[in-house]
Amino acid sequence: MKLTIVLTSTRPTRLGKSVADWFYSYAKGESAGFEIELVDLKEINLPLLDEPNHPSMQKYEHEHTKRWAKIVDESDAFVFVLPEYNHAPPPSFVNAVDYLYKEWNYKPAGFVSYGGISGGIRSTEVAKHLLATMEMVPVKQQVMIPMVFDHLEDGAFVPTEMHEQSAKVMLDTMAHWSNALKTMR
Ligand SMILES: Cc1cc2nc3c(=O)[nH]c(=O)nc-3n(C[C@H](O)[C@H](O)[C@H](O)COP(=O)(O)O)c2cc1C
């Protein structure tokens, strides 16, 4: 089973990179039976959706779409490292999701969300709505990081025990769903 962690924030001064680096190394140690990969939407560098056909047709014209489709198609589960911008997910996340359809279908999704006092909970709820439309299964277990800026030391994210415990519960739940949904696919 392949779990792909998607770093969704693309700002030059983003804190998401520190959060994603922590979660990637935590998940590799914990594993829950997954092979784990980290992808960065800043590096994937998708333009605003520029495919002429509906994604469900999978008639992709652009190389950037074919590359992104391959990554998503080869993954069995996803964890999105998601900030909150104006009570919503970042546009980079929505754009990357909209590019594809079948490649997302019947796969579980978890969130490591972060922001100010809300810890990205509002952003996650909006994101789940979108993922449900992709026929994905967003799990309720989640890592939430309120006041993310208070957890950085020399640029590195330093987790609390609660962050680590929530990460473990989320990964275990996702392993169950990944097995069930792989059978279904
Ligand atoms: C455009 C913008 C809007 C934001 N809106 C919210 C918000 O609605 N709620 C919140 O908790 N934090 C908000 N923040 C604070 C971010 O959650 C915080 O800056 C976080 O570090 C952003 O993730 P990033 O650094 O990985 O881009 C906002 C930040 C930006 C840049």
Side-chain angles (χ1 to χ4, degrees):
M1 288 295 169
K2 184 165 178 185
L3 171 73
T4 297
I5 300 165
V6 184
L7 165 53
T8 64
S9 74
T10 55
R11 296 187 314 125
T13 54
R14 62 189 176 168
L15 303 184
K17 175 88 171 75
S18 308
V19 176
D21 286 344
W22 159 67
F23 184 72
Y24 177 54
S25 66
Y26 180 85
K28 275 204 299 192
E30 200 49 52
S31 120
F34 286 116
E35 175 199 336
I36 298 180
E37 196 168 314
L38 174 63
V39 304
D40 181 351
L41 290 186
K42 192 178 172 76
E43 283 169 17
I44 302 282
N45 201 20
L46 292 166
L48 284 176
L49 182 57
D50 62 353
E51 286 288 339
N53 300 305
H54 190 281
S56 64
M57 296 167 73
Q58 295 182 300
K59 281 175 64 181
Y60 304 130
E61 291 200 350
H62 301 297
E63 277 312 309
H64 53 254
T65 315
K66 290 175 190 167
R67 274 198 301 275
W68 179 227
K70 187 169 186 294
I71 291 170
V72 174
D73 193 45
E74 288 175 356
S75 306
D76 299 296
F78 302 88
V79 169
F80 296 98
V81 178
L82 195 79
E84 179 165 305
Y85 296 163
N86 301 315
H87 299 194
S92 50
F93 167 82
V94 177
N95 190 50
V97 171
D98 281 348
Y99 256 94
L100 308 174
Y101 178 65
K102 286 190 176 154
E103 294 83 352
W104 295 117
N105 287 179
Y106 311 117
K107 295 179 181 176
F111 292 91
V112 174
S113 69
Y114 59 96
I117 191 70
S118 75
I121 189 80
R122 294 170 295 211
S123 172
T124 305
E125 291 304 307
V126 175
K128 281 181 176 175
H129 195 87
L130 175 60
L131 296 189
T133 313
M134 296 292 129
E135 302 281 10
M136 296 182 81
V137 177
V139 301
K140 87 173 173 183
Q141 291 75 11
Q142 171 175 359
V143 182
M144 259 183 293
I145 309 170
M147 302 305 189
V148 62
F149 19 80
D150 290 343
H151 297 279
L152 292 167
E153 275 175 29
D154 297 327
F157 177 75
V158 181
T160 63
E161 206 179 319
M162 194 178 69
H163 298 140
E164 290 185 336
Q165 276 171 9
S166 346
K168 178 167 177 21
V169 174
M170 182 179 71
L171 286 167
D172 288 347
T173 307
M174 292 191 66
H176 282 304
W177 276 110
S178 300
N179 286 319
L181 292 170
K182 183 139 197 165
T183 310
M184 192 176 152
R185 287 199 304 282

